[in-house]
């Protein structure tokens, strides 16, 4: 057997793959074979390491050298210097990789981005080859399933999940053990276990990363759930737009069947369980549990009235439990480590950790997993590194189109299910989009409502018609045609939709508008009454002016103006005819003297 002395871990998540990590892997393999090192250095395609901003990421062990923004042309240097000569290539290391004043490499746990994180759902992402079941097994994979089937009754499994305090990570935060208990108590000849891997929120990629980096954890957890409620069949409803996740899921299912971990008589017991993947066509409404089940059945994805709830009458009219990917990713560790271990993390009513997809105006974009109760300030500044270019943090949108905007005044609120709802937002699946001083909050509300209108299934009038009317008002406001009374109309429509829409997605659709009205009402008023966008974002409300004291008469602005609305002589102050101005900003971009302002 060959002795492996070094492991080259290359991120194979969607982000790094789109930045050419596949070619980086091929180049490593080619050069290592060329130099006769292919038997002692192993190249591993992993899932996401979390710090997407630094991608493509390559980590070389045992040294733990964290190479960031790696290009194909950098590979030869890493091979020749690091893997052949044992000299770490410092210039290619992630900016915080070295201890101050020394050549000592920091462990990942000591890098600012990871310091305050606690990886539970993401524990294997970036650590194992997701396409190799033996690596998952080496990290205690399927140990929890074996324990459940050979040492625990179904009631004991459900009780363990109940006492852990695990709540659904897909949005509503319903106690997972309670959902399982309802399905267990339902009498039926057939029951189903479903996994929501649809993940339709803009800016959310938590579930995708777990599927890409650790697919077996979901299979194991679903089998445990199947044993707990008395089901022999599971379905994973995954977005077709997630080709890497789908491919690795299918590979994992095939491997689990081959190893006897899915199928008949698992671990030599009388328990049988199998899983199939169903592809979604990208409908946001299919993230709602009843619509998802209707889609699996082969029909158009539309919500069904509840009750009856899925635990009583779900997929194909049979008792069904549905949890999302991140929820399932916690289950095996709860079984292995005990409910007390999981319940020791988080807050009184929100146990464990939460994964957030950190994006928008933030330096360290990527996946963040923190204990419940971590403050927004810690995520934005300690982990995320603050906003780029020294801009001021303005708000963070959590919960996607169903959530709300959290302003800077709430930076020190501990993030958990109840606290976020109390301040007008919600946990949602975990998307966190950061906005700085240049973002217009009225336009942000318009953006999310536009998404909801496009994605509405149209089954109920409050969502189909009400959100459309709200969007029309917002579009008028951002185009400078807002009227007195528009804010009150928005509030009335929002409250009516929340009270009468058929499903949870419709009921929460007004949240982005209500939260921005709560914290940024002055921006709405400025748009309506002053015909001004305080953030300088809404194009039709902008005015460009040239400061004659700063203008040098270089003519760059005039030469680049597509409307020809700038006049003036060489070396003399220029002037903008605002009646002709297209408000494109080309003049401001070209001015080298800061003479042009936008208001």
């Amino acid at each position: 057997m060959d002795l492996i002395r070094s492991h080259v871990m290359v991120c194979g998540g969607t982000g790094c793959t789109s930045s050419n990590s596949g070619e980086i892997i091929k180049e490593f393999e080619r050069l290592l074979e060329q130099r006769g090192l292919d038997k002692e250095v192993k190249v591993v395609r992993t899932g996401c390491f979390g710090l997407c901003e630094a991608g493509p990421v390559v980590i070389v062990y045992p040294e733990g050298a964290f190479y960031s923004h790696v290009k194909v042309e950098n590979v030869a240097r890493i091979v020749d210097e690091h893997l052949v000569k044992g000299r770490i290539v410092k210039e290619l290391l992630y900016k915080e990789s070295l201890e101050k004043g020394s050549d000592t490499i920091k462990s990942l746990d000591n890098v600012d981005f990871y310091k305050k994180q606690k990886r539970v759902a993401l524990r294997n992402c970036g650590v194992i080859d997701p396409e190799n079941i033996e690596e998952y097994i080496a990290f205690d994979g399927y140990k929890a399933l074996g324990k459940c089937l050979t040492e625990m009754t179904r009631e004991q499994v459900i009780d363990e999940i109940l006492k852990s305090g695990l709540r659904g990570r897909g949005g509503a935060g319903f106690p997972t053990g309670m959902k399982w208990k309802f399905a267990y108590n339902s009498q039926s000849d057939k029951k189903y276990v479903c996994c929501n891997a649809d993940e339709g929120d803009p800016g959310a990629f938590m579930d995708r990363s777990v599927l890409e980096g650790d697919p077996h954890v979901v299979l194991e957890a679903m089998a445990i759930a199947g044993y707990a409620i008395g089901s022999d069949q599971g379905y994973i409803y995954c977005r077709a737009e997630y080709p890497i996740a789908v491919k690795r899921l299918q590979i994992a299912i095939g491997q689990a069947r081959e190893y006897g971990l899915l199928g008949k008589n698992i671990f030599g017991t009388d328990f049988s369980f199998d899983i199939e993947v169903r592809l979604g066509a990208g409908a946001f409404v299919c993230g709602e549990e009843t619509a998802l089940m209707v889609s699996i059945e082969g029909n158009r994805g539309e919500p069904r009235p509840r009750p009856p709830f899925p635990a009583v009458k779900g997929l194909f009219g049979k008792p069904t439990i549905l949890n999302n990917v991140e929820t399932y990713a916690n289950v095996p560790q709860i079984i292995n480590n005990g409910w007390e271990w999981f319940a020791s993390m988080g807050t009184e009513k929100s146990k464990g950790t939460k994964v957030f997809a950190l994006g928008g105006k933030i330096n360290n974009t990527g996946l963040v997993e923190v204990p419940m109760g971590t403050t927004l300030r810690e995520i934005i500044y300690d982990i995320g590194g603050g906003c780029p270019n020294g801009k001021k943090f303005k708000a963070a949108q959590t919960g996607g189109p169903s959530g709300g905007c959290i302003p800077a005044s709430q930076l020190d609120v501990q993030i958990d299910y109840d606290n976020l709802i109390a301040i007008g937002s919600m946990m949602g699946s975990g998307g966190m989009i950061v906005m700085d001083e240049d973002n217009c909050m009225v336009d942000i509300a318009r953006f999310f409502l536009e998404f909801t209108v496009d994605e509405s299934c149209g089954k109920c009038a409050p969502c189909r018609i009400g959100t459309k009317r709200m969007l029309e008002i917002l579009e008028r406001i951002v185009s400078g045609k807002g009227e007195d009374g528009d804010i009150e109309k928005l509030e009335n429509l929002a409250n009516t939709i929340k009270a009468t829409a058929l499903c949870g997605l419709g009921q929460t659709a007004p949240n982005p508008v209500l939260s921005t009205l709560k914290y940024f009402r002055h921006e709405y008023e400025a748009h309506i009454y002053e015909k001004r966008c305080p953030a300088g974002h809404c194009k039709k409300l902008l005015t460009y002016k040239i400061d004659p004291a700063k203008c040098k008469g270089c003519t760059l602005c005039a030469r680049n103006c597509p409307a020809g609305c700038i006049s003036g002589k060489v070396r003399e102050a220029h002037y903008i005819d605002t009646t002709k101005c297209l408000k494109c900003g080309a003049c401001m971009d070209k001015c080298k003297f800061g003479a042009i302002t936008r208001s």
Side-chain angles (χ1 to χ4, degrees), residues 7-209:
H7 284 80
V8 179
M9 318 295 281
V10 184
C11 175
T14 293
C16 287
T17 297
S18 67
S19 298
N20 226 16
S21 68
E23 293 302 312
I24 290 170
I25 291 171
K26 289 179 183 177
E27 185 69 356
F28 267 113
E29 292 172 339
R30 185 184 72 81
L31 292 176
L32 289 170
E33 183 179 6
Q34 187 182 85
R35 286 151 177 74
L37 296 175
D38 52 313
K39 298 293 190 294
E40 53 186 287
V41 177
K42 185 176 181 180
V43 181
V44 180
R45 186 194 303 265
T46 72
C48 178
F49 290 100
L51 188 49
C52 300
E53 183 279 328
V57 171
V58 174
I59 300 182
V60 179
Y61 290 106
E63 298 86 354
F66 187 134
Y67 294 112
S68 65
H69 302 295
V70 177
K71 297 180 175 62
V72 174
E73 52 266 33
N74 299 144
V75 174
R77 195 167 173 209
I78 295 172
V79 170
D80 292 336
E81 290 295 314
H82 188 155
L83 297 172
V84 175
K85 301 175 184 176
R87 303 171 184 165
I88 291 171
V89 187
K90 296 177 188 176
E91 305 89 79
L92 298 179
L93 289 175
Y94 177 63
K95 58 189 176 184
E96 295 176 26
S97 288
L98 294 177
E99 297 284 0
K100 284 186 179 179
S102 75
D103 291 337
T104 305
I105 291 181
K106 289 182 183 179
S107 68
L108 282 187
D109 290 341
N110 288 323
V111 171
D112 286 346
F113 181 78
Y114 296 100
K115 267 183 187 176
K116 294 193 173 183
Q117 293 195 49
K118 175 72 176 175
R119 290 167 77 86
V120 178
L122 299 177
R123 76 182 187 108
N124 286 335
C125 295
V127 176
I128 65 171
D129 178 354
E131 298 183 16
N132 187 338
I133 190 173
E134 293 184 356
E135 293 200 11
Y136 179 69
I137 291 172
F139 283 81
D140 294 333
Y142 293 103
K143 177 181 175 182
L145 177 59
K147 181 180 178 180
C148 290
L149 297 185
T150 60
E151 300 177 23
M152 301 173 73
T153 66
R154 289 172 173 171
E155 295 90 340
Q156 286 173 328
V157 173
I158 292 172
D159 192 50
E160 196 79 3
I161 302 301
L162 262 174
K163 289 192 291 189
S164 74
L166 175 65
R167 294 171 64 173
R169 295 324 197 223
F174 191 81
T176 305
M178 190 76 70
K179 185 181 287 189
W180 291 17
K181 188 173 184 178
F182 289 152
Y184 168 78
N185 288 329
S186 294
Q187 300 301 311
S188 178
D189 61 333
K190 187 80 173 179
K191 297 180 183 180
Y192 294 101
V193 173
C194 290
C195 174
N196 182 352
D198 193 54
E199 195 169 51
D201 288 4
F205 52 96
M206 304 76 57
D207 290 351
R208 184 193 74 199
S209 294

Side-chain angles (χ1 to χ4, degrees), residues 310-328:
V312 176
K313 186 179 180 181
L315 186 64
F316 302 115
K318 304 295 183 179
T320 305
I321 58 170
L322 173 71
N323 295 112
N324 83 324
V325 170
E326 185 186 342
T327 309
Y328 282 124

Side-chain angles (χ1 to χ4, degrees), residues 244-281:
I244 297 175
V246 171
K247 174 192 170 190
R248 290 178 185 168
L249 266 177
Q250 291 170 335
I251 290 171
I253 290 171
Q255 291 174 339
R257 287 172 180 161
E258 183 182 347
Y259 276 64
L261 298 167
L262 285 179
K264 301 290 185 182
N265 305 116
I266 299 171
F267 281 105
T269 68
D270 61 358
F271 174 65
S272 299
F273 188 79
D274 207 353
I275 295 174
E276 294 182 28
V277 177
R278 289 286 187 269
L279 299 184

Side-chain angles (χ1 to χ4, degrees), residues 441-464:
M441 303 312 295
V442 184
D443 192 57
I444 289 293
R446 182 206 58 78
F447 166 80
F448 279 106
L449 204 62
E450 182 181 50
F451 177 87
T452 304
V453 168
D454 285 344
E455 294 292 338
S456 173
C457 74
K459 187 171 185 177
C460 73
C463 183
R464 182 182 69 249

Side-chain angles (χ1 to χ4, degrees), residues 544-599:
Y544 287 86
K545 293 181 180 179
I546 297 176
D547 183 349
K550 292 183 179 179
C551 181
K552 307 298 182 184
C554 70
T555 74
L556 264 178
C557 59
R559 283 183 280 144
N560 286 278
C561 176
C565 67
I566 301 177
S567 56
K569 297 179 179 179
V570 177
R571 296 193 180 90
E572 291 183 7
H574 281 49
Y575 167 79
I576 299 176
D577 183 345
T578 55
T579 62
K580 297 179 181 178
C581 179
L582 299 176
K583 303 175 183 180
C584 64
C587 56
M588 193 171 180
D589 292 338
K590 294 296 181 181
C591 182
K592 297 179 179 180
F593 306 103
I596 301 177
T597 58
R598 180 178 61 195
S599 62

